[in-house]
Amino acid sequence: MTRPVCTRFHAAIELIGARWTGAILRAVFTDAHRYHEIKAAVPGVSDTMLAQRLRAMESDGLLTRQVDTGTPVRVEYHLTEMGRDLAPVIDAIIDWSHRWIPVPAGGDPD
């Protein structure tokens, strides 16, 4: 008998599996908190896409946006409890990728 996919599982995969989301999460996990730090850590992401993803991740409860109104204004993104709880998931994906995904030509092997 075929079992239907759990709706919670499906929602979770869609949440963290959106394009660029995993890479952005990884960057924030490795202490990139400001926009330019995240952008530098995620090669190929456009400004528009990064801004959209950060807003979506904040809306979804994975990140918080913190604004320091000093001069100059500083905006930082930090993981919420929900986002921090993804640590073992991200680590498992990293381990899996090191075993099964070949390094692209000219790519960084981590």
Side-chain angles (χ1 to χ4, degrees):
M1 175 179 188
T2 302
R3 293 180 53 167
V5 173
C6 170
T7 56
R8 285 183 177 173
F9 171 83
H10 189 140
I13 289 297
E14 294 295 316
L15 177 68
I16 63 172
R19 184 169 174 115
W20 302 108
T21 298
I24 294 167
L25 281 170
R26 178 70 175 138
V28 177
F29 268 110
T30 57
D31 292 328
H33 297 290
R34 297 184 66 199
Y35 183 93
H36 75 278
E37 294 169 338
I38 298 167
K39 184 159 175 49
V42 183
V45 68
S46 69
D47 285 325
T48 301
M49 183 55 65
L50 179 55
Q52 287 175 356
R53 279 292 165 252
L54 289 169
R55 279 193 300 273
M57 293 168 72
E58 182 182 7
S59 175
D60 291 335
L62 297 173
L63 297 176
T64 60
R65 182 177 185 266
Q66 299 173 354
V67 180
D68 176 355
T69 58
T71 305
V73 173
R74 290 175 52 115
V75 177
E76 292 188 349
Y77 296 89
H78 293 274
L79 295 161
T80 63
E81 180 182 6
M82 179 184 181
R84 287 188 304 274
D85 277 353
L86 283 169
V89 175
I90 299 297
D91 289 342
I93 292 170
I94 290 167
D95 291 345
W96 179 86
S97 73
H98 285 198
R99 180 167 182 197
W100 294 105
I101 306 297
V103 176
D108 180 10
D110 253 10

